[in-house]
Each structure stands twice: as structure tokens, then as C-alpha cells.
Amino acid sequence: MNFQIAVLLGQDGVTNGAIYALLALSILLVFTVTRILLIPQGEFVTFGALTMAAIQSGKPTALGWLLLALVLIDCALDLRQMWKTGKQAGAMNYGEIKWSAIKIGYTAMLLVLLHSLTLADIPMLAQALLTLALVVPFGPILYRLFFQPIASAHSLVLLIVSIALHVAMVGIGLLLFGPEGARTAPFSDSGFRLGPVMLKSQTLWVILVSIALIVMLFIAFERTLYGKALRATAVNRMGARLMGISPVFAGKVTFAMATFIGALSGILIAPITTLYFDSGFIISLKGFVGAIIGGLASYPIAAIGAVAVGMVEAFSMFWASNYKEIIVFTLIIPFLLWRSLTSRHVEEEE
Amino acid sequence: MMNASELLLDVRQLRVAYGKVEALTGIDLRVPKGQIVTVIGPNGAGKTTLLSAIMGILPSKGEVHFDGRLQPVPEVEKLVGQGLGLVPEKRELFATMSVQDNLELGAFLRYRRGDRHLATTLAEVYSLFPRLFERRHQQAGTLSGGERQMLAIGRALMGKPQLLMLDEPSLGLAPLITREIFRIITDLRRQGVSILLVEQNARAALKVADYAYVLEGGAVAMEGPAAQLADDQRVIEAYLGLASKHQELLAS
């Protein structure tokens, strides 16, 4: 291996590592706030990437209709709930109707946009925004439909539902996007020459957007009251409820953030790798390894761990490409050992 | 003695069961505006259960009217929004967050509704608890027991509650700190906050309260104006006794 190859591999490693770091952070965020291990995180990545690819090829994706169906179910459930509590209280609270109208209106508007625009010709930024507008609402709606009714269940139950949701979403991905892989156009074609090597511009995009997103997350959680409210829910659920921070609200917001991060990651890496309907799982699993290195508790260690996973993956591809995945996932064992040997057992007071 | 319009909290026939075991068997309880009402009783009488049921943390049967509105199924978040605050026995602080963050989160619902005057309330809470101001950048988990209790009360006050429910505020605190907490409770009443106080320290509780309920075995055994109960022979024998004479001193 010479210096040039090392730089190329390092470039790959950092690019993948940045994506894994984003996924690790969102897995961690969802886990600490809702106790759900978000296995479908990878599907948000593929949904983002494949929707972007569909839009670029000018096809209005059927994802919009799926969203409409889920929104209708969601609104029907909310209205039924409103009817039931309203009858008990003897007075209806009509706030839900307004919300339902907004949600259905939003979806209808997206559908109109999808079918009236010549999707392949609009600027790439608009395509990306449309993709996000389409994919992100799935987060809160999936939380509402599948996790909100069992929010207080044992975390094992939550995990099982999460796996089921992942399997279902892979199937739906196949149905919506077909078995072909997709690759999108890069954001820009230019490259940068740094010493002897050429840096691909997409690599820089990935790294810059990831860093910007991590900084934004940090500011949101350290400086804004809404971010603090989410942290508070993670620290002490009962305490948060007593402050009026509802677990439903926290769950929906974290799921929205996780979907946003996932879909954006998908859009970012779609020009670099060919993604298939089932590629998401292995990607998010590597993010998960990063989250485990952080003990499912520490954000900075999870991010660094995820970047390390990307590096190890890139270099093992060079030396032992057949064993690439095995090497990456074996990484988890020493960390689990180290964690279980060093962590003291603290009795929960409850 | 109280007319219905000035009632802030009106609980009727509240029942709570843990499986087949009835923890509360039909409690009637009223808190008029601007008063301190206390619930005393031995361990396991159902005092904490009562507060949890009113707050909606535990499922219950019966009626809870708060601020003139019937709560069909009491919901924590809704009640907090209507001005009910609970300081639970376990405090439930955000241990890894700073004291100031804890306080700010107490006003989360007000912030969410567009109220941006949190700084004024924060200043009021700090003037009530200067200790918290000194330690505002410290993590809540590093505070002493008394400071934690102050933080829990301060955090609840940030929501500007109409009724503050305190569960054993003196539990595990040194006598001098207990005295400080009770001084603050009377201060709060002067500022117009109504209080429902659950206490084991019966003597101190009866001293500050206007009206009192004695809870035994999940039912109200006695009720009446606090001063009257404090002189009641049965209460003196069961809860006050001679041994707790020093508590009177501390409560003065």
C-alpha cells in the first residue's frame, strides 16, 4: 500500500463513517428518548435514496399514495379517540379536526406536486426537498400507528415490533421501488486536488453536511427548550411527564428527526453507492455498532466510534475484502467485553 | 363551610385498586382556592396513591374536578396545562442536567404556548431559593437532599401552578431544612398558590394547614379544620404524641 491508496481508502472511510455517525446518533436519540431500538433506521436511508432516484428519473413515486393511506388511518384513529374522550367529558374538543385537515391537506399538496411537476427537470435542491417532504412524515406516523399504543410496554416488545416494522418496510420498499438498484446524479461534478490525490466533491458534501447536522443537533439539544425537553424525557420519563412533556410528543419528534437524518443520509450517499431496497439494514447496523461503542448512552463516543467503523471497513476492504463485514461486526465484541467488565451494576431505585 | 365556586380541587369517590387490592376506597376531598390542605396518615395509608391518582399517573375510578372542570380520565399533561403541579416523593429531577435547565423545563408547557416571560418567574424562584441560584450551573444529581427538594418545588413553581401538590416534602431532610421548607410553603400560600400537602410530619403539617384529612387504610378517617384536629385527642395519640414534641419547635 502506498500513500495514495491510503488517502483514497481514508477518504472512503471518512465518507462512510460520517454517514454511520449520523445514523448512530439518531439510533441513540430514539433509544434514549423512547427505549425503542430503531431497526428500520436503514429503511429511511433507502427510502430517501430510492425516492430521490425515482424523482430524478421523472417518475412520481408511489410513496405518496402510501403516505396518504397512512395519514388517513392516523387521522381516523385520532378522530375516534377524540370522539370517545369527548363523549365521556360531555364536551367535544374539536382541535383534532383542524390537525387532521392540516395533515391530509399537506399530503394532498405533495401528491399534486408529484404529479404536476416535470420532476426530472426541477433543480436538484428542489428534488431533495421534495424527497425529504415525502419521507420525513413517515417517522411520526409510524410512531403513532405502531409504537404509541404500546409505549409503556417492555423494551423487548418494542424491539420485536421494531424488527417487524423493519421487515415490513423492506417488503414495501421492494413493492414501491422494484428490485433494481439506483444511483443518483452527484450534487456537482467538480473535484478538488489535494496534493497527489483527487477529492471527490460528493465526499466533501457528505462530510460537510454531516458536520453541519451534528453541530445543529448539538445546538438544538444544548440551547433550545424543546431539545432540553427531549433530553429530559430520556433522563427521567416521569419527571418529564410531570412538566407536561408528553411521551407521545417526544416520541413523534424523535422519530421525525430520525427519519430526517436517515432520508438525508440516503440522499447524500445515493450518488456514491448503488442502493437496493434492502441495502438499508447493513448500513444502519454499522451505525448501530458505533452506538454500541458509545454504550448506547454517549453521543460523542458513538459518533467517533461510527467514524472508526467506517475507517476499519475501508481498510479491511483493501486487505481482506471478503472478510470486510465480519471484521466490522467483530469490532463489537471487544467493546462489549470492555463495557461489561468496566461497568458497575447500579441498582435502579424503583 | 366552603361554597362550590371557590373550590379548586374537588375529588369525589376516588377509588384506586392495585389488582384486586383496593388502595383507596372512595375518597372525598376538597381544596378551596388559596388554602393549604393537608393529608396526614401512617405509612401505607394511601397518601401517595391519592396524589398519583389525582394527577392521572395511576388509573382510578371516581370524579376529579379541577378548576371547575371534570377530568373524565385525568391526564398528566392536560392537568399540568390547567395549572396542577405535583412534587412527587421521589422528586424525579433531571439528574444529569443543570439546576437552571431543570427549572426552565418546569415552564416547558408555558413556553410551548408562546409565553416568553419565563425569566421573570425564574428570578422569582431564585429569590425564593437563593441556594439554587448559587448552584444554577451544577448538575441536579450533585445537590444535597434539601437542595433537591427545593429544586423540585422550584421546578413545579416555574409552571405557575394554581394548585401545588407536595408529597412528603420533609422526607429524609434534616430538621433545619424541614423548617425552611415549611416556611416556604406558608410563603407560597401568601402568594396565592393553593397547596395540597401530604405529610408524615403531622405536627408541622397541621401547623401550616387550614384544613386537614386523616387517611387510614385507604379511607378518610377524620377531617376538619387543622387547628381543631391538632387538638383532637385521637390525633394526638396516634400521630403527634409526646415524642414528636420537638417537631413543634421546628415548625414554629
Side-chain angles (χ1 to χ4, degrees):
Chain A
M1 165 180 300
N2 59 29
F3 176 69
Q4 196 163 359
I5 293 175
V7 172
L8 274 177
L9 290 176
Q11 188 182 339
D12 270 5
V14 172
T15 318
N16 290 341
I19 295 294
Y20 298 154
L22 285 180
L23 298 181
L25 292 182
S26 87
I27 287 173
L28 198 53
L29 171 67
V30 171
F31 180 74
T32 51
V33 174
T34 65
R35 297 180 302 131
I36 299 167
L37 268 182
L38 194 59
I39 316 283
Q41 177 73 53
E43 272 59 65
F44 297 139
V45 178
T46 44
F47 274 38
L50 295 175
T51 306
M52 183 77 175
I55 287 178
Q56 286 196 345
S57 64
K59 283 181 290 192
T61 138
L63 198 66
W65 295 108
L66 178 66
L67 182 63
L68 183 66
L70 290 180
V71 164
L72 287 178
I73 298 173
D74 169 49
C75 290
L77 286 174
D78 279 353
L79 292 176
R80 207 188 89 197
Q81 182 70 32
M82 178 200 91
W83 179 255
K84 252 168 64 184
T85 53
K87 223 161 61 178
Q88 272 173 351
M92 286 290 172
N93 171 12
Y94 291 104
E96 287 297 339
I97 294 184
K98 195 181 83 189
W99 271 112
S100 299
I102 290 176
K103 283 189 268 190
I104 295 173
Y106 172 83
T107 319
M109 190 194 75
L110 273 182
L111 279 171
V112 169
L113 277 180
L114 274 178
H115 287 272
S116 62
L117 291 173
T118 41
L119 293 170
D121 296 338
I122 56 177
M124 192 173 291
L125 184 64
Q127 290 172 337
L129 286 178
L130 196 56
T131 306
L132 289 174
L134 206 53
V135 178
V136 173
F138 276 95
I141 288 181
L142 291 177
Y143 179 81
R144 166 72 184 89
L145 294 180
F146 301 109
F147 292 107
Q148 186 179 319
I150 54 163
S152 52
H154 194 272
S155 39
L156 193 59
V157 177
L158 296 177
L159 177 63
I160 293 169
V161 173
S162 179
I163 293 173
L165 188 59
H166 153 72
V167 175
M169 282 181 72
V170 172
I172 287 172
L174 176 61
L175 208 64
L176 290 178
F177 303 109
E180 304 88 19
R183 202 182 252 248
T184 58
F187 294 177
S188 56
D189 290 321
S190 52
F192 298 88
R193 181 159 285 286
L194 191 77
V197 279
M198 193 72 172
L199 286 181
K200 280 173 280 181
S201 70
Q202 192 65 25
T203 308
L204 288 176
W205 272 106
V206 172
I207 295 169
L208 286 181
V209 173
S210 303
I211 291 175
L213 210 54
I214 290 172
V215 170
M216 267 163 56
L217 281 177
F218 179 79
I219 291 174
F221 279 88
E222 288 296 320
R223 297 273 179 272
T224 71
L225 199 57
Y226 278 95
K228 285 177 191 171
L230 290 185
R231 265 169 66 207
T233 311
V235 175
N236 187 330
R237 206 172 304 264
M238 181 49 76
R241 283 187 74 193
L242 289 175
M243 300 302 108
I245 305 164
S246 94
V248 171
F249 165 79
K252 283 185 179 169
V253 172
T254 43
F255 265 63
M257 291 174 91
T259 352
F260 175 76
I261 292 174
L264 188 62
S265 309
I267 295 173
L268 284 174
I269 54 169
I272 310 176
T273 33
T274 310
L275 287 172
Y276 298 86
F277 68 96
D278 60 351
S279 316
F281 182 62
I282 212 83
I283 299 176
S284 75
L285 207 54
K286 285 170 192 159
F288 181 68
V289 173
I292 289 286
I293 292 175
L296 275 179
S298 161
Y299 287 86
I301 300 181
I304 293 167
V307 174
V309 168
M311 292 304 254
V312 170
E313 187 191 17
F315 281 93
S316 55
M317 194 137 64
F318 179 74
W319 280 307
S321 79
N322 286 339
Y323 298 104
K324 177 184 97 168
E325 312 287 9
I326 296 176
I327 293 173
V328 168
F329 292 119
T330 314
L331 259 186
I332 214 170
I333 294 174
F335 277 101
L336 285 178
L337 263 179
W338 170 62
R339 286 257 162 218
S340 68
L341 289 178
T342 54
S343 76
R344 292 162 294 128
H345 245 300
V346 187
E347 288 296 325
E348 284 286 327
E349 53 167 306
E350 214 157 344
Chain B
M1 73 161 237
M2 331 167 188
N3 91 50
S5 66
E6 59 184 24
L7 280 185
L8 195 52
L9 180 72
D10 185 0
V11 176
R12 292 180 201 156
Q13 285 302 305
L14 193 73
R15 293 168 178 279
V16 175
Y18 294 109
K20 287 220 164 108
V21 185
E22 285 229 298
L24 294 180
T25 55
I27 303 273
D28 291 305
L29 180 143
R30 273 163 290 276
V31 181
K33 263 191 188 137
Q35 295 208 356
I36 300 183
V37 172
T38 184
V39 176
I40 56 176
N43 269 332
K47 302 187 299 287
T48 298
T49 307
L50 174 66
L51 292 192
S52 305
I54 295 174
M55 198 70 204
I57 298 169
L58 283 175
S60 60
K61 290 198 180 105
E63 289 181 9
V64 175
H65 298 258
F66 179 66
D67 201 14
R69 263 178 286 188
L70 171 66
Q71 311 290 333
V73 188
E75 268 180 67
V76 183
E77 294 82 19
K78 224 177 250 176
L79 280 164
V80 174
Q82 286 175 26
L84 184 61
L86 171 65
V87 179
E89 198 180 333
K90 288 191 205 147
R91 333 290 207 228
E92 309 283 9
L93 296 173
F94 307 122
T96 52
M97 300 173 78
S98 74
V99 167
Q100 177 132 349
D101 282 352
N102 268 271
L103 290 174
E104 283 176 3
L105 281 165
F108 175 74
L109 268 191
R110 288 174 56 204
Y111 182 84
R112 201 178 166 190
R113 290 188 183 146
D115 185 348
R116 295 291 182 269
H117 306 291
L118 307 186
T120 339
T121 326
L122 192 63
E124 281 168 24
V125 169
Y126 278 146
S127 72
L128 204 57
F129 303 101
R131 282 291 277 280
L132 294 183
F133 183 71
E134 287 165 28
R135 306 201 183 266
R136 64 189 182 281
H137 298 304
Q138 223 167 298
Q139 281 198 356
T142 64
L143 297 180
S144 73
E147 289 163 347
R148 278 182 208 206
Q149 186 59 53
M150 291 176 192
L151 179 54
I153 297 176
R155 188 179 66 168
L157 287 176
M158 286 297 291
K160 287 213 166 178
Q162 298 192 62
L163 174 63
L164 188 61
M165 303 199 291
L166 300 172
D167 194 355
E168 305 270 6
S170 74
L171 189 75
L173 299 186
L176 275 175
I177 312 273
T178 305
R179 189 172 167 176
E180 176 77 7
I181 297 279
F182 275 98
R183 181 189 60 77
I184 286 159
I185 291 173
T186 36
D187 263 13
L188 288 178
R189 193 247 311 260
R190 221 169 291 139
Q191 295 173 14
V193 184
S194 314
I195 289 168
L196 178 58
L197 173 68
V198 160
E199 257 297 341
Q200 281 206 35
N201 187 341
R203 191 175 295 271
L206 289 175
K207 196 112 192 171
V208 297
D210 300 295
Y211 199 81
Y213 292 83
V214 178
L215 209 60
E216 271 171 22
V220 176
M222 263 186 276
E223 63 175 290
Q228 209 172 310
L229 276 193
D231 291 335
D232 189 290
Q233 204 52 44
R234 286 167 299 172
V235 175
I236 292 176
E237 272 168 26
Y239 302 110
L240 304 179
L242 288 173
S244 50
K245 193 78 187 164
H246 71 279
Q247 287 180 358
E248 188 169 55
L249 239 63
L250 291 169
S252 61

